[in-house]
Amino acid sequence: METTFSAIKADVGSVAGHHVVPEELEESAISVLEEAKGKDIFDYFVTHCGDDLELIITHDKGEESEEVYEIAWNAFLKATEKAKELGLYGAGQDLLSDAFSGNIKGLGPGIAEMEFKERKSNPVFTFMMDKTEPGAFNLPMYKIFADPFNTAGLVLDPNMHSGFVFEVWDIKESKKINFYCPDDLYDMLALIGAKSRYVIKRAYPKEDNPKANPQEPAAVISTEKLSHIAGEYVGKDDPVAVVRGQSGLPAAGEILEPFTHPELVSGWMKGSHNGPLMPVPVEDAAPTRFDGPPRAICLGFQVKDGMLIGPVDSFADPAFDKAREKAHQVSDYMRAHGPFEPHRLPEEEMEYTTLPDVMEKINHRFEDMD
């Protein structure tokens, strides 16, 4: 059975600033998806990560389905209407058009989706982040699919021993390149360490993996950058990712392990600061300290005949408590820098925030030096 798993998100309004999506908005989205269930889609789940409304949808329409995208768009629109009715902050912020044009891409929402042939057992993990950018997934995806110190299966499992293929996008030049790891590992690291420009879009099994179809991605990440779409800063990109596991792919524990390290990511307040990525349960995905620090949640599902079993709130495990404590310590250290780098982003990245408005105000006061 061919199943498409789509994770689609948008910031359409939140309570008390950029903090949390209220239940009323989730209920509005659910009403649209419930009407489509059993007719146009198999199943769905609605949640939030911070101020982002998250839609998880299964169907048999394949990737980039106009029909499914329109359903998601209508769900976001109905939630936006409720947000405006309640006077919520940033109502409809990520919807950059008033009308659906056949493809939700380029209209603001972030999308990560994959089509795969269902196996006997299909664990699928959906990661959602708030107050950061798509490149925040670069380090975890590298660890999951290329680092044997994280993923023992790369050494011990003959099905994974030859490694994985990474599709990396240059989101500044709109180009892409495939890296065949471990052979191309150092070349890939030379790029993906610059995570504001080069982002991992997909990871595939290699051809000689007998248990996993090399045509079906093992992971896919949303790569939409709102600043490039809108031409101005309208919020950080808050990416989502979908990762399949087990049976020729990394095990569940190997998929989750990278998040025990609260890596520094770009985003936080006004999308203009570096801070630690804190893995949290859904109930704690309400970033308020300096509008942060950046958060990550993960929901684990089983997919059977297109239906969703679960989810498991993967980061609710107390084993991630130390990562959260470390993120608190790193937050204190970074915040002590105030408006100075490296807490504040470097100037070339600040051009996508509100800093250019400040520079325009004072540019006329610059004088040539003798």
Side-chain angles (χ1 to χ4, degrees):
M1 176 177 175
E2 295 282 343
T3 296
T4 307
F5 191 104
S6 303
I8 309 175
K9 53 73 58 175
D11 181 348
V12 295
S14 52
V15 175
H18 293 291
H19 293 160
V20 67
V21 176
E23 290 184 9
E24 291 90 337
L25 269 61
E26 292 188 9
E27 291 169 355
S28 296
I30 288 171
S31 68
V32 175
L33 297 177
E34 184 63 29
E35 186 176 343
K37 183 177 178 179
K39 294 182 290 186
D40 301 312
I41 63 175
F42 290 142
D43 205 356
Y44 69 88
F45 189 83
V46 175
T47 187
H48 70 276
C49 183
D51 59 358
D52 293 300
L53 182 61
E54 314 276 357
L55 312 181
I56 297 167
I57 304 171
T58 55
H59 53 94
D60 62 356
K61 305 295 190 299
E63 297 179 24
E64 300 191 10
S65 164
E66 179 177 339
E67 192 174 354
V68 173
Y69 284 175
E70 186 171 13
I71 292 169
W73 182 259
N74 289 337
F76 288 135
L77 279 183
K78 189 163 185 179
T80 296
E81 292 171 2
K82 175 58 71 171
K84 291 179 178 178
E85 177 186 323
L86 298 174
L88 300 186
Y89 190 78
Q93 174 178 287
D94 282 2
L95 305 186
L96 305 181
S97 173
D98 294 328
F100 179 72
S101 59
N103 194 327
I104 206 169
K105 292 184 177 180
L107 298 183
I111 307 156
E113 61 181 350
M114 61 169 70
E115 184 179 24
F116 56 88
K117 186 176 181 179
E118 288 194 16
R119 300 172 291 170
K120 185 177 180 180
S121 180
N122 299 279
V124 181
F125 296 86
T126 306
F127 293 91
M128 294 151 274
M129 295 183 180
D130 188 31
K131 304 299 185 287
T132 188
E133 61 183 357
F137 276 112
N138 282 7
L139 180 55
M141 292 300 157
Y142 154 71
K143 287 186 172 183
I144 293 168
F145 294 103
D147 182 3
F149 282 82
N150 178 88
T151 302
L154 294 168
V155 175
L156 303 176
D157 186 345
N159 299 308
M160 291 197 292
H161 197 71
S162 62
F164 288 84
V165 182
F166 291 79
E167 181 183 317
V168 175
W169 284 17
D170 178 344
I171 56 178
K172 184 176 181 180
E173 297 292 335
S174 297
K175 296 179 179 180
K176 63 180 181 180
I177 181 173
N178 285 340
F179 290 106
Y180 296 80
C181 294
D183 304 48
D184 294 334
L185 184 58
Y186 294 163
D187 292 334
M188 183 177 75
L189 286 171
L191 296 189
I192 65 172
K195 54 185 172 51
S196 63
R197 175 170 178 174
Y198 300 100
V199 298
I200 296 171
K201 177 62 179 180
R202 296 181 181 88
Y204 292 92
K206 279 190 174 175
E207 295 281 351
D208 55 356
N209 186 324
K211 286 195 173 183
N213 187 341
Q215 305 304 315
E216 297 174 349
V220 62
I221 298 95
S222 67
T223 51
E224 291 75 17
K225 285 190 72 67
L226 283 173
S227 59
H228 293 175
I229 296 171
E232 61 181 353
Y233 179 74
V234 291
K236 215 58 183 171
D237 310 293
D238 304 332
V240 292
V242 178
V243 182
R244 293 191 299 133
Q246 306 291 154
S247 189
L249 301 173
E254 294 168 332
I255 292 169
L256 299 172
E257 179 66 14
F259 295 89
T260 60
H261 168 62
E263 60 166 321
L264 287 175
V265 297
S266 302
W268 213 340
M269 171 64 72
K270 300 185 183 299
S272 59
H273 293 74
N274 287 307
L277 183 64
M278 181 186 292
V280 296
V282 174
E283 67 177 1
D284 291 335
T288 59
R289 181 186 178 183
F290 201 58
D291 279 359
R295 305 295 164 95
I297 63 172
C298 178
L299 297 181
F301 295 91
Q302 290 290 139
V303 179
K304 177 63 175 176
D305 297 330
M307 303 304 289
L308 297 170
I309 293 89
V312 173
D313 191 345
S314 301
F315 291 150
D317 185 346
F320 289 94
D321 285 350
K322 290 189 71 173
R324 291 187 270 271
E325 179 57 34
K326 188 172 184 179
H328 289 309
Q329 295 171 0
V330 173
S331 295
D332 289 341
Y333 177 78
M334 297 301 287
R335 284 295 303 125
H337 288 77
F340 288 84
E341 298 178 18
H343 184 32
R344 198 182 81 175
L345 299 183
E347 184 177 8
E348 60 270 19
E349 293 187 48
M350 291 289 284
E351 65 179 290
Y352 296 112
T353 69
T354 52
L355 182 62
D357 296 333
V358 177
M359 293 303 298
E360 183 177 355
K361 177 182 177 182
I362 62 174
N363 268 338
H364 70 282
R365 296 170 57 186
F366 281 93
E367 301 177 1
D368 291 333
M369 293 187 295
D370 295 333

